[in-house]
Amino acid sequence: MFFKNYIYLLSVFLILTTSPSFGIKLLSHKATYTLNVEDIEENSFLEGGQGQTYFEIIEKCDGWNVKEDYVLVYELPEKKMTNSYSRYSTFENFLGTKHSFELNEKSELNGNNSYQGFIEKNNTNISGSVINNSIKQLSFNKDTLLPIEHLKKLIEAAKNEKKIFTKKVFFGNEDKEYIKIVSAFIGKKQKSKFKKFDYFKNKIIWPMKIAFYKENTKSENPDYEISLDLDEHGVVHSYKVDYGNFKITAVLKDFNVLQKESCK
């Protein structure tokens, strides 16, 4: 499960867009992060792990294309190793009414998984389909946010100095639990400590802790949490994913600004 949860991290919180509705100018880019498994508790089946993730977002004429590839090598007891690879891509239109997604995953622990789907929001609900070995129909309440739509509102909340922001969000990276309750705890803005690339120098960030819950859960404990530093342009300077019995820390290795698609 945590492999798919990790995919969501970059698909949602590293998406860089232009937001006409909020007047926020964000950035199309490509970023490479190194990954390390840390703070492993005794009850975990892991002993370590390393990897990389490659994330790309490009503004198109009618919406945003997002692509993410990640490779993780996990260290198991008795010096055994296991690999996990995933490619996740999405498209979401500027209006936040159409969202398509595709996942291809190869894991020596979880097996292989591949599917694609789409959803569309209207005045009454959200509906769509997931295509795997069969076609599954989807339907959700219209108060559920799409991923980029959620990111826009999260940034707006930070700029308005809100301390807590909680919404239901659709995730296409899990083929069973599509809806999560996402609660963001937003800290006071401060100067970023990351200065490796020119873009990041003297940038102001909001430290955040974001908790993810099952839609109908009664538990006070989240499935997992993400701690990250987010700036006003939507760029994540650093992040850590906490799964309870271990954590994955990401460090930015490479960063390139991309040009948005030229539209006639």
Side-chain angles (χ1 to χ4, degrees):
M1 180 64 69
F2 59 84
F3 297 119
K4 296 179 182 178
N5 291 343
Y6 172 73
I7 298 171
Y8 164 74
L9 165 65
L10 292 181
S11 302
V12 176
F13 292 101
L14 301 185
I15 293 172
L16 307 181
T17 65
T18 300
S19 175
S21 59
F22 301 143
I24 299 172
K25 181 67 177 177
L26 302 174
L27 189 67
S28 297
H29 80 291
K30 182 175 183 179
T32 302
Y33 292 81
T34 58
L35 307 172
N36 284 287
V37 178
E38 302 175 348
D39 299 333
I40 303 170
E41 297 185 357
E42 292 183 1
N43 62 341
S44 174
F45 67 95
L46 296 177
E47 293 189 350
Q50 302 81 37
Q52 284 197 134
T53 183
Y54 309 89
F55 176 83
E56 179 180 293
I57 169 72
I58 300 179
E59 181 182 350
K60 298 293 184 177
C61 297
D62 52 352
W64 299 272
N65 278 354
V66 180
K67 297 179 182 179
E68 187 212 348
D69 294 347
Y70 84 82
V71 178
L72 285 166
V73 180
Y74 290 93
E75 300 171 9
L76 305 178
E78 300 180 357
K79 298 183 179 181
K80 293 182 179 180
M81 311 289 283
T82 183
N83 300 326
S84 182
Y85 166 78
S86 180
R87 168 166 288 184
Y88 185 57
S89 60
T90 68
F91 171 81
E92 188 168 322
N93 68 345
F94 291 130
L95 297 176
T97 57
K98 295 181 180 181
H99 180 79
S100 59
F101 50 94
E102 182 174 357
L103 172 70
N104 291 285
E105 182 181 49
K106 296 181 179 180
S107 171
E108 293 178 356
L109 282 177
N110 291 354
N112 299 341
N113 195 12
S114 179
Y115 61 84
Q116 57 186 324
F118 72 93
I119 56 174
E120 186 169 358
K121 184 183 294 188
N122 56 38
N123 293 330
T124 58
N125 68 348
I126 299 174
S127 60
S129 300
V130 172
I131 304 170
N132 195 338
N133 296 325
S134 60
I135 299 177
K136 180 179 180 179
Q137 301 299 322
L138 305 176
S139 181
F140 311 105
N141 294 333
K142 68 175 182 178
D143 62 346
T144 301
L145 300 181
L146 304 184
I148 294 179
E149 182 183 21
H150 174 259
L151 177 63
K152 293 177 182 179
K153 292 182 181 294
L154 177 63
I155 295 172
E156 184 185 38
K159 292 178 75 68
N160 289 333
E161 299 184 353
K162 291 186 178 181
K163 302 195 180 298
I164 300 176
F165 182 72
T166 301
K167 293 292 181 181
K168 290 194 295 184
V169 185
F170 171 87
F171 300 142
N173 65 303
E174 295 187 30
D175 56 356
K176 292 182 180 179
E177 298 176 2
Y178 296 100
I179 305 296
K180 294 280 189 183
I181 305 298
V182 182
S183 291
F185 303 88
I186 306 170
K188 293 183 179 180
K189 64 182 180 180
Q190 56 188 257
K191 279 192 175 182
S192 175
K193 297 178 181 179
F194 189 78
K195 305 181 186 301
K196 184 175 180 180
F197 302 101
D198 288 342
Y199 170 84
F200 297 90
K201 295 178 180 178
N202 299 317
K203 283 291 190 301
I204 298 298
I205 57 91
W206 290 276
M208 300 183 184
K209 178 172 284 189
I210 302 171
F212 300 82
Y213 301 84
K214 292 182 176 66
E215 182 180 12
N216 299 313
T217 186
K218 296 181 180 179
S219 173
E220 296 181 356
N221 298 320
D223 290 350
Y224 58 100
E225 293 180 327
I226 299 171
S227 298
L228 56 85
D229 292 336
L230 182 70
D231 72 23
E232 65 178 343
H233 300 295
V235 179
V236 171
H237 292 218
S238 64
Y239 68 89
K240 179 179 288 188
V241 190
D242 185 351
Y243 293 106
N245 56 358
F246 70 96
K247 299 175 183 177
I248 294 180
T249 298
V251 177
L252 189 60
K253 178 182 179 181
D254 195 18
F255 181 85
N256 294 286
V257 176
L258 301 177
Q259 296 297 319
K260 68 178 183 179
E261 184 177 271
S262 178
C263 304
K264 297 181 181 179

